[in-house]
Amino acid sequence: MENDRLNDVLYNVAESVLERLAFIFSVPAENRDEIPVDSTDASCVSFSGPFNGSVVLAVAGNALSEIAENMLGLPEGEGLSLDQQHDALKELVNVICGNLLPEIAGKQAVFNFDMPQMTTEKTPSCNENNETKKSLAKLDLERGRCDVILFANDYIHQYLSSLPAESE
Amino acid sequence: MSINVLVVDDSSVMRTMIIKTIQMSGLPVGRILQASNGREGLEQLNQNWIDLVIADINMPVMNGEDMIDQMREKTETKDIPILVISTEGSKTRIERLKNKVKGFIRKPFTPEIIRDTIIEILGVNDHGE
Ligand SMILES: [Mg+2]
């Protein structure tokens, strides 16, 4: 029940932010394999608050350039630097995380966010400290794929069960 | 009369998106300056005439809220209108921020909301004069 709700919210927020920030229409792809985070471009942002965790955004295929070019309104194959493409991916995960937490935890909840980073930067690393995968959204884009993963510690369960049934 | 805008955000992609949006808004924009954190923002404010500051909150080195607090402490910068564009979603934090600035927009934004908010802000302030 709780997991279903988390999954629905994650898909909704990820699809909506991709559309509104990057003008990309994505299609849920629940049946395909997960993108291996360790061997691909992935950005992440850690947060702390009523529960702690992080959101990871992993991309495969040509999704990295698709996202960066779309955010900047540039045509395909514009040859953006890797730095610019990573900047776009970091800002995208930042906005996804900022929109996700109030949807999950309610608008009264206060969270602190770390700076978004690429998972390869590891300074400090996302999803350390007993945080486990709580939800995953797999989306297909036009030129590639992206996965959005929510990691959190187990306080999330306590916190969510303490919320009134119809939270904002 | 054209307005000089300072855009403070740690994401260069986000700064470019905001700048494109203001350039296409039809507003009488003069110079557009950029900074990637609050400290750089304050330096730009020291060196340039700015009519409107557009600021992110979550930034390294100095965050947006600290920059805003320091702006409010200096005679030269305390009356410059500020528009915050941030991912912040907590009601309490948004209310606190709204007390310090002229406008608050949550990311992601539409071009229309940015244009309308800037018009509203500068209308109230008559071009920062
Ligand atoms: Mg930021």
Side-chain angles (χ1 to χ4, degrees):
Chain A
M1 175 67 183
E2 179 191 295
N3 285 346
D4 285 354
R5 190 181 92 81
L6 274 182
N7 254 21
D8 286 349
V9 173
L10 187 63
Y11 268 102
N12 282 340
V13 170
E15 288 181 67
S16 150
V17 171
L18 269 168
E19 185 186 330
R20 291 185 295 146
L21 187 72
F23 316 101
I24 289 175
F25 291 94
S26 54
V27 183
E30 288 170 63
N31 297 323
R32 69 156 163 75
D33 287 340
E34 249 174 79
I35 299 170
V37 172
D38 290 335
S39 58
T40 190
D41 288 301
S43 56
C44 64
V45 61
S46 299
F47 58 83
S48 56
F51 51 88
N52 298 350
S54 57
V55 176
V56 175
L57 170 64
V59 289
N62 292 317
L64 180 63
S65 56
E66 179 180 3
I67 287 167
E69 286 164 5
N70 270 53
M71 282 173 77
L72 290 167
L74 298 171
E76 187 173 341
E78 189 59 27
L80 289 171
S81 72
L82 201 58
D83 262 5
Q84 283 173 302
Q85 297 185 35
H86 287 175
D87 184 297
L89 204 65
K90 288 190 278 187
E91 187 61 10
L92 182 57
V93 79
N94 191 38
V95 178
I96 289 175
C97 185
N99 281 264
L100 180 67
L101 292 176
E103 289 298 321
I104 293 176
K107 292 182 177 64
Q108 304 296 341
V110 178
F111 288 93
N112 291 312
F113 300 91
D114 285 344
M115 291 304 130
Q117 57 180 7
M118 298 304 287
T119 52
T120 45
E121 288 171 358
K122 300 242 187 242
T123 52
S125 161
C126 287
N127 68 63
E128 290 173 330
N129 315 325
N130 303 322
E131 289 158 11
T132 52
K133 189 183 292 178
K134 302 297 183 202
S135 185
L136 162 69
K138 293 184 275 191
L139 296 166
D140 285 354
L141 317 182
E142 196 175 317
R143 283 147 55 190
R145 310 178 291 286
C146 81
D147 286 357
V148 185
I149 314 154
L150 170 69
F151 290 90
N153 62 14
D154 286 335
Y155 286 113
I156 189 174
H157 304 299
Q158 271 169 268
Y159 185 80
L160 294 187
S161 57
S162 75
L163 288 177
E166 272 303 296
S167 75
E168 318 178 57
Chain B
M1 147 125 202
S2 60
I3 46 167
N4 292 347
V5 184
L6 171 64
V7 180
V8 191
D9 196 302
D10 55 319
S11 163
S12 68
V13 169
M14 182 50 69
R15 291 198 303 273
T16 306
M17 291 177 76
I18 293 171
I19 289 169
K20 278 194 175 176
T21 304
I22 3 187
Q23 281 169 337
M24 293 189 313
S25 67
L27 294 166
V29 177
R31 293 175 71 201
I32 302 181
L33 298 157
Q34 304 186 38
S36 65
N37 61 59
R39 176 148 317 142
E40 280 181 21
L42 292 174
E43 282 164 18
Q44 293 277 25
L45 284 161
N46 270 335
Q47 292 159 17
N48 302 281
W49 179 267
I50 304 289
D51 302 293
L52 172 70
V53 173
I54 297 182
D56 183 23
I57 292 299
N58 199 19
M59 294 182 287
V61 186
M62 180 189 283
N63 70 37
E65 205 166 351
D66 289 346
M67 180 190 79
I68 291 163
D69 290 342
Q70 293 206 20
M71 282 179 66
R72 292 306 183 231
E73 282 168 14
K74 276 185 77 177
T75 334
E76 297 82 6
T77 53
K78 71 175 175 40
D79 295 322
I80 300 176
I82 302 168
L83 165 60
V84 169
I85 303 183
S86 157
T87 54
E88 184 59 65
S90 131
K91 226 176 181 173
T92 355
R93 285 245 182 90
I94 293 176
E95 288 311 316
R96 193 178 71 203
L97 275 168
K98 279 183 173 169
N99 286 329
K100 298 183 183 185
V101 299
K102 289 281 181 190
F104 176 87
I105 293 173
R106 244 181 111 198
K107 295 173 184 173
F109 50 78
T110 61
E112 293 75 27
I113 187 96
I114 292 206
R115 189 200 54 214
D116 294 350
T117 311
I118 293 179
I119 289 173
E120 204 181 294
I121 290 174
L122 296 179
V124 172
N125 276 279
D126 195 24
H127 293 192
E129 294 299 320

